Every structure is written in C-alpha cells, then in structure tokens.
C-alpha cells in the first residue's frame, strides 16, 4: 500500500534525527542518495541568493568523509544534540521527488551537562521516493542566525 | 477523499507557522475566516476567566490592520521567529467545526543573530472545515508566562 | 477501523503531555496500565547499562503516590511545564505491544514568569495496544543531561 506522502516524510525525519541524536553518525550518510547535496547556510545568505555556505558536500562520499573527520577530532565525545522538528510542509510532489520544508530546533548538550539552544532554522529538502522508502537528494539547512559554531558541529 | 481531521489540522498548523517564520506576514490573515477572533492572553488570566488580553482582534480586517502597523513600525526588520509546535490534540469535531489544542514554543532571533526562547504556551483553536480545507474562526494563544514583550511582537 | 500505529502513538503522546502541562496531574497515572514501569534516568547511566535511576516506580499505585506527594509539597503551585515532542519513531510492533522512541524538550515556567530550558531527552516506551486505545506498560525517560533538579520535578 502506498503511504501518504506527509506520513512518509514525517517518519523519515524522525529516523534521521534519531540517528544523529543517538550518536550513530556512521549511519547518517545512508539517509542520502549517492549524488546528493548537503548544505548548511544562513537565512541572510539564502535570502540574498548567495552561494556562500557554512558547510557544503556534493556527494554521499563527502558526507562519509565528514563523519570520519568528526570522529578523528573526537567531536562525538564532546557533545550531543537533541533535535526537535516541526511538521513537514509538502511544497511539491512529483512521481518520484518530494520537496518539503521543516522547521528545526537543536539543543546542544556538552559533556559537563550544560545545555543550550544551539541553532534554529528550516530544512529545504528534496527526497527521492521509491515506493514507501525515501532518501535525500538535497538538504539545505537554512539557519536563522549567522552566529553558529559550525566548525565543530555534528550534522544538522 | 475526506482527510483525517488530525492530519488536516497538523498540516494547517505547519502552513500557518511557515507563513510567519518566513516573513510573509501579509498572508497571515488568510488563515482566518472573515468573522474571527484572535486573542493573546496569559495562563493566569485564562485560568481565572479574565477577559483581559494582551492582543485582541475581532475580525480579519483587524488582523490586516495589525500586519500593516507592524510593517510601518519596521517590526519585520528587527527580528524573526521560529515556531515549534506539538501534535494537535483534537478536543471536539462537529460537522463543520474542529476544536483543537496545540502546544507552541517560539524562539526569537534578533537582527544581530542572538536568539532566545521568546514564549511558550498553547493554542486553543476553532477551525471551520470546508471539505479538506480549514480556516481559523478562533485562535486564543495562551502564553505560559506573563512576561511577554507583546507590543513589538509578530503574531503567535 | 484499526488506526495506523504511528497516528495512535502520536495522539497518545499529545494527550499525555497535555495532561501534565495543563496541571491535571491526578489524571497522569491513567496513561499507564496497572503493572507498569516509569523510570527517569540519564543518557550516561542508560548507555552504561546502569540500573541507577533518578526516579523509579514499578506500578500505577506508586505513580498515584507520587502525584499525592507532589500535591502535598505544593509542587503544583510552584511551576508549570511545557513539553514539546518530536515525531514518535516506531521501534517494533507486535500484536499487542508497540515500542517507540520519542524526543522531548521541556521548558519550565516558574511562578514569577521566568522560563528556562529544563530538560531534553527521549522516551523509550512500551505501549499496550487494545484496539484503538493504548496505555503505557513502560516509560523510560532518558535525559540528555545529568544535571536535573528531579526532587522537585513534575513527571516527564
């Protein structure tokens, strides 16, 4: 039975953030298809159409490299995230591609137990649909604030 | 096909907050029917049954006036919001009116990039249903805290 | 008509947090079956498999006792919560038991109106399903931080 697209995307989002928040970063690239774009930018840059971005990866291989470098820098050890997402807004739905927008809020928990509101923003996503399974072809994370400590950041 | 009411309200909420958070305030009144109530109050006042409210509008025309005055005061420029909503709780469902309650949390992002937890609370909503489309006949935003900088606020 | 399990859990979660956030604590134990486990622990302890927990109750009767003691200590009066939950992630689904994980974020609002990000974490739940109604057989609230003022806490 073909699932409702709203449900499908909502579940995919829940699974995605669970992967990151549980610290299973090695599994993160699997939410993307091989030829994909993952980009973190600011609302300011996005609005002006500027190409500048804080993080940019143009393939699943680059995402795997990023995970490896975070592991080597022991980023895993230093902090954890807790993502809270809004309901996805379905922008368009073709036979095999679903475009959606979803608000996010991420709390960062440091090793000493302190926590802070790390970043808020919205995901601009393009999902490739294959039956009842979806994978990201593009995720642009547009952060509301331009003050983000991205160098040391886990994926959004 | 008639959509499930829970889905219908969840989608309407996602669309509503997207409108505000993306800065498209001119579109905000369109989420309401012509004869509507939009009210912002505090949990304290609401509990005691006090009529006093922080913001009160009794028609869609008044909502349009409010948008115009926010624009004239350049409120648009000064900050942005990021809403995160909980799942809607369906209180009652008649042939054409759906009552629901939904928790909200709003982060405010100032122009200089600083962000803060602006307000939390719950929406007490009455939606008029027309097939698979819904519009608000009443939204009472009950804020948990009584310390809110509402004069300069974008809509909740 | 049998409801979709994802919807069923999402609604149960919305109802649960509404009960606590609206201050109707007396109704809280009714979300659990008689022989149940309610536990609050930290991510650190959970990861290491330590049994130590911040709060532990092994029956619905113990939950009722807890509610009574919170009332006697006037905890009700001192503060309120606002829960925001993520989408539930369905871990497994048997004939009559559904296991799910759900992220949570709780803001605490003190009587003087100040609010703070109180705690984040995830619920590890086992729900007993009976037609379209579900009740908790087990809820383990795993808090991201170990710095929690739990003695005076309302339920998570």
């Amino acid at each position: 039975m073909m699932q409702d697209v709203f449900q499908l995307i909502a579940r995919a989002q829940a699974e995605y953030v669970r992967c990151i928040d549980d610290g299973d970063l090695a599994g993160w690239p699997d939410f993307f298809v091989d030829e994909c774009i993952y980009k973190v930018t600011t609302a300011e840059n996005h609005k002006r159409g500027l190409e500048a971005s804080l993080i940019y990866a143009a393939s699943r291989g680059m995402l795997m490299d990023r995970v490896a470098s975070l592991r080597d820098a022991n980023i895993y050890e230093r902090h954890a995230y807790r993502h809270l997402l809004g309901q996805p807004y379905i922008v368009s739905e073709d036979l095999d591609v679903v475009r959606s927008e979803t608000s996010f809020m991420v709390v960062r928990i440091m090793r000493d137990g302190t926590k802070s509101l790390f970043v808020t923003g919205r995901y601009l996503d393009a999902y490739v649909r294959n039956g009842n399974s979806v994978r990201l072809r593009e995720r642009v994370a547009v952060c509301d604030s331009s003050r983000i400590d991205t160098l040391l950041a886990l994926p959004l």
Side-chain angles (χ1 to χ4, degrees), chain A:
Chain A
M1 194 183 76
M2 282 293 267
Q3 274 189 348
D4 173 76
V5 68
F6 179 82
Q7 291 271 6
L8 208 59
I9 301 299
R11 291 179 198 205
Q13 304 277 34
E15 210 168 333
Y16 180 100
V17 301
R18 179 175 179 261
C19 172
I20 295 171
D21 293 354
D22 277 15
D24 176 27
L25 274 198
W28 173 62
D30 292 340
F31 288 92
F32 293 80
V33 295
D34 287 344
E35 293 186 40
C36 62
I37 288 182
Y38 171 74
K39 190 170 147 179
V40 178
T41 187
T42 64
E44 188 90 5
N45 281 356
H46 183 73
K47 208 174 193 172
R48 295 187 183 172
L50 296 181
E51 280 303 315
S53 55
L54 304 171
I55 293 172
Y56 186 85
S59 70
R60 203 158 70 88
M62 286 177 71
L63 299 181
M64 292 190 276
D65 289 348
R66 184 160 174 86
V67 168
S69 65
L70 290 170
R71 191 182 49 226
D72 291 346
N74 293 318
I75 302 297
Y76 285 60
E77 301 295 321
R78 292 191 212 157
H79 62 273
Y81 279 0
R82 181 62 53 193
H83 286 72
L84 265 285
L85 305 188
Q87 306 276 2
Y89 174 84
I90 308 297
V91 178
S92 67
E93 185 187 350
D94 290 335
L95 258 189
D96 54 357
V97 174
V98 181
R99 291 191 173 271
S100 64
E101 290 189 22
T102 309
S103 290
F104 63 82
M105 183 183 293
V106 182
V107 173
R108 184 158 67 163
I109 302 99
M110 304 307 286
R111 210 184 153 67
D112 68 0
T114 56
K115 56 192 175 308
S116 61
L117 183 52
F118 179 51
V119 61
T120 62
R122 62 200 157 110
Y123 296 135
L124 309 183
D125 294 329
Y127 278 99
V128 178
R129 178 171 188 166
N130 190 344
N132 282 335
S133 122
V134 290
R135 289 211 289 168
L136 286 162
R137 194 180 68 187
E138 187 174 320
R139 161 155 292 185
V140 179
V142 182
C143 302
D144 292 322
S145 169
S146 48
R147 293 187 177 177
I148 306 159
D149 173 18
T150 45
L151 269 182
L152 298 181
L154 295 170
L156 289 180

